[in-house]
Amino acid sequence: MKWLSKLFKSGSGGRRGGYNPQFVGEENMVVRAPVRMPDDRPRTKKEQEELDHAIALSLSDGMRKPNGYNEGRKGGNYSGALPRGADNGSLNPSTYPPYGTLPYHPAGYREEGLEPKPLLVHSMLTYMLMPMTCRVCAGCHREIGYGNYLGCMGAYFHPNCFRCHSCGYPITEHEFSLSGRDPYHKTCFKELTHPKCDVCLQFIPTNAAGLIEYRCHPFWSQKYCPSHEHDNTARCCSCERLESWNLRYYSLEDGRSLCLECMESAIMDTGDCQPLYHAIRDYYEGMNMKLDQQIPMLLVERQALNEAIVGEKNGYHHMPETRGLCLSEEQTVTSILKRPRIGGRHLFGIRTQPQKLTRKCEVTAILVLYGLPRLLTGAILAHELMHGWLRLKGYRNLNPEVEEGICQVLSYMWLESEVLPGSSSRASTSAASSSSSSSKKAGKSNVENKLGEFFIHQIAHDASPAYGGGFRAANAAVNKYGLRRTLDHIRLTGNFPL
């Protein structure tokens, strides 16, 4: 019994039944086992008395929170409603604050390196054995009683009741994220709030300022890392979306790329395009704008179209890439005779033939880039046919804003008649044309209709002075005065009516 006398003092001045446990070294904790006292009281009652006394000591000088105790630590609530940067519909960068995390320390943990530290005996009693009948777990709403508990956010929890608001599993890590009053695992919170790139499918990295910076398409809302604009990631030549790493695009022989959705309705050769071309001529006729001349129409590759532009004296061409052309000069043009074959994700084996175009009227031919979806091909044809109609009707020397603007209005009107429910031409008087248009609307898929809405959006939000500014001025005039009166005013003045 000599070892007990070294650890615990007892004498006439000491309290009866009291004990003062001490440390032997920093990490070894010694708790004296209860012994029978000479008053012959039952052992269990004596144990209870000693335990009650230990609790009293804990309450008097040991219930201070350790340095690492995390209670109601405040943090940002990043719920995904991120501030947008200035953007006028273009692919401008947007910057966002990154998600926030809060350190989480279970009771008894200290700040230094988040490593567990040894507890004092009275702290151990508070953490492990202290009766908590007056405290209720904020998770299960039951009394905590004896055993482990956590103090966090101004409340107490059983360790198994402190759970992630997203996945529902207990939070056992030393750090957690907080949104309002809801705790999350750091990884779960990042999955919920940190945007992922729609191209590489990874979390978008932060920039040098610590902000999340990405590009976002104004129509499709496709988010992607800024680096993908310069790393040769393929972009669909029709809908402008970037190729995702898990969904590859088709490659055309002239170097363009085509997404799977645009590929579904793509027109690949001149023969396939003839029914659409005649339908758009009928659309013009239904608006009392019949084209008296039979104007040849050819589908061509990008190189052939660029060569034809070089030989063309008239016209204003939309850069960086022109997709249609109304020719007025005699040229020899290589057209698509037979559609290409599909091998994997490549289209090859296209058959072409040179065709000499002679000038029989003010318009020699209409050329359109091959491999575009039906609605985009039709919109280009409607635009180029309006150029042809203006030349055949004697509209001369119009400035680019006026000529391209009114041509864009016809393209826009045709797309509306094909895509938007209940829409009809603002100038059409043909019931047959309206019936035909309605039947075509019913036959298109949701994917094709969405593409049509994008092409309408593209015309309305074009930033160029001739195509964008010209369209908005022309469309305002047509909406106010009607198409026929607007065209008459252009013939007389060369400008739109105000």
Side-chain angles (χ1 to χ4, degrees):
M1 299 295 289
K2 292 182 179 181
W3 61 277
L4 285 174
S5 64
K6 293 180 180 179
L7 296 176
F8 306 106
K9 293 181 180 181
S10 61
S12 58
R15 288 187 230 170
R16 190 177 183 209
Y19 68 99
N20 293 287
Q22 304 290 321
F23 279 104
V24 180
E26 183 180 350
E27 297 185 359
N28 298 319
M29 293 173 288
V30 179
V31 180
R32 180 171 67 89
V35 297
R36 184 178 297 275
M37 296 301 289
D39 57 3
D40 292 324
R41 282 180 289 181
R43 183 186 182 98
T44 55
K45 187 174 181 180
K46 181 60 182 176
E47 291 174 359
Q48 184 63 44
E49 186 175 311
E50 290 175 344
L51 180 58
D52 291 343
H53 188 67
I55 291 170
L57 289 175
S58 298
L59 293 173
S60 63
D61 62 1
M63 291 197 64
R64 294 184 297 273
K65 295 171 187 172
N67 291 338
Y69 189 87
N70 184 350
E71 181 173 3
R73 193 176 295 205
K74 303 297 182 182
N77 178 359
Y78 303 112
S79 60
L82 305 174
R84 291 191 177 276
D87 179 36
N88 293 323
S90 60
L91 301 181
N92 292 332
S94 301
T95 55
Y96 296 85
Y99 65 93
T101 60
L102 296 174
Y104 159 52
H105 313 297
Y109 277 36
R110 303 286 180 85
E111 292 282 0
E112 300 90 350
L114 300 179
E115 293 296 329
K117 297 294 181 180
L119 299 168
L120 296 176
V121 171
H122 60 261
S123 296
M124 177 65 79
L125 290 170
T126 303
Y127 181 64
M128 297 296 295
L129 298 175
M130 178 178 172
M132 297 292 292
T133 55
C134 60
R135 293 182 179 174
V136 176
C137 174
C140 67
H141 306 294
R142 297 177 181 175
E143 290 184 354
I144 292 178
Y146 288 99
N148 298 349
Y149 71 93
L150 302 176
C152 187
M153 303 187 300
Y156 299 93
F157 299 85
H158 295 111
N160 199 47
C161 294
F162 189 63
R163 294 174 175 261
C164 174
H165 191 66
S166 176
C167 70
Y169 285 98
I171 299 175
T172 59
E173 295 81 3
H174 298 167
E175 294 182 348
F176 69 101
S177 297
L178 187 65
S179 177
R181 297 287 298 173
D182 298 325
Y184 295 85
H185 292 110
K186 289 174 63 179
T187 53
C188 292
F189 192 76
K190 187 173 183 179
E191 285 284 347
L192 288 173
T193 61
H194 194 125
K196 279 189 175 181
C197 174
D198 292 329
V199 175
C200 65
L201 311 179
Q202 303 299 312
F203 289 114
I204 296 175
T206 55
N207 60 17
L211 300 175
I212 301 169
E213 179 182 353
Y214 60 80
R215 304 293 185 263
C216 184
H217 193 282
F219 181 83
W220 301 109
S221 298
Q222 183 188 40
K223 299 181 180 70
Y224 55 92
C225 306
S227 59
H228 296 314
E229 292 187 334
H230 314 290
D231 62 3
N232 297 320
T233 297
R235 186 186 295 273
C236 179
C237 64
S238 168
C239 67
E240 298 182 348
R241 284 176 287 190
L242 291 179
E243 180 183 53
S244 173
W245 287 10
N246 66 347
L247 193 64
R248 295 300 181 182
Y249 287 180
Y250 288 96
S251 297
L252 304 179
E253 282 194 82
D254 59 9
R256 291 176 293 141
S257 296
L258 200 64
C259 75
L260 276 65
E261 292 182 357
C262 292
M263 182 69 181
E264 285 183 7
S265 61
I267 298 179
M268 292 295 181
D269 61 45
T270 301
D272 287 346
C273 195
Q274 292 302 322
L276 178 61
Y277 178 52
H278 290 296
I280 295 173
R281 288 178 64 100
D282 292 342
Y283 176 80
Y284 270 75
E285 188 173 350
M287 294 190 297
N288 297 319
M289 295 174 63
K290 183 177 180 180
L291 289 105
D292 298 324
Q293 301 293 329
Q294 292 298 320
I295 303 172
M297 187 278 304
L298 304 175
L299 252 63
V300 297
E301 292 183 280
R302 180 163 60 178
Q303 182 178 352
L305 185 61
N306 291 337
E307 290 173 354
I309 291 173
V310 173
E312 180 68 14
K313 296 178 182 178
N314 298 325
Y316 179 87
H317 309 299
H318 201 348
M319 302 304 286
E321 180 172 75
T322 298
R323 295 186 285 198
L325 180 64
C326 182
L327 277 178
S328 60
E329 304 293 330
E330 292 190 352
Q331 292 191 39
T332 299
V333 176
T334 301
S335 65
I336 307 295
L337 181 64
K338 187 176 180 180
R339 63 186 299 119
R341 299 189 302 275
I342 299 177
R345 293 296 180 186
H346 296 274
L347 279 74
F348 63 94
I350 195 169
R351 287 181 58 185
T352 62
Q353 71 172 10
Q355 187 166 343
K356 184 171 179 60
L357 301 172
T358 58
R359 182 183 171 94
K360 297 179 181 179
C361 60
E362 292 295 322
V363 181
T364 305
I366 289 175
L367 309 181
V368 178
L369 199 60
Y370 91 101
L372 300 176
R374 174 185 172 275
L375 289 177
L376 179 54
T377 303
I380 296 168
L381 283 170
H383 178 102
E384 300 303 335
L385 273 173
M386 189 59 190
H387 280 299
W389 187 89
L390 291 172
R391 294 177 193 176
L392 291 173
K393 298 299 180 181
Y395 289 74
R396 298 284 188 271
N397 302 320
L398 298 177
N399 66 57
E401 287 77 10
V402 174
E403 183 167 352
E404 299 299 342
I406 197 64
C407 290
Q408 284 290 76
V409 166
L410 266 295
S411 179
Y412 187 91
M413 289 168 60
W414 181 80
L415 281 170
E416 278 189 326
S417 72
E418 289 285 309
V419 174
L420 300 182
S423 67
S424 59
S425 170
R426 285 168 280 186
S428 177
T429 58
S430 171
S433 175
S434 175
S435 174
S436 173
S437 177
S438 297
S439 65
K440 288 175 184 176
K441 288 180 199 175
K444 282 189 288 295
S445 67
N446 291 334
V447 169
E448 190 174 7
N449 278 328
K450 192 66 177 178
L451 283 172
E453 291 172 12
F454 166 66
F455 302 140
I456 290 173
H457 174 275
Q458 209 173 23
I459 292 173
H461 295 85
D462 194 309
S464 66
Y467 287 81
F471 163 75
R472 287 181 281 277
N475 196 48
V478 171
N479 285 334
K480 185 174 182 179
Y481 299 105
L483 180 60
R484 176 54 57 187
R485 290 181 62 187
T486 299
L487 290 171
D488 290 342
H489 192 276
I490 291 172
R491 183 194 294 273
L492 292 173
T493 66
N495 291 301
F496 301 122
L498 301 177

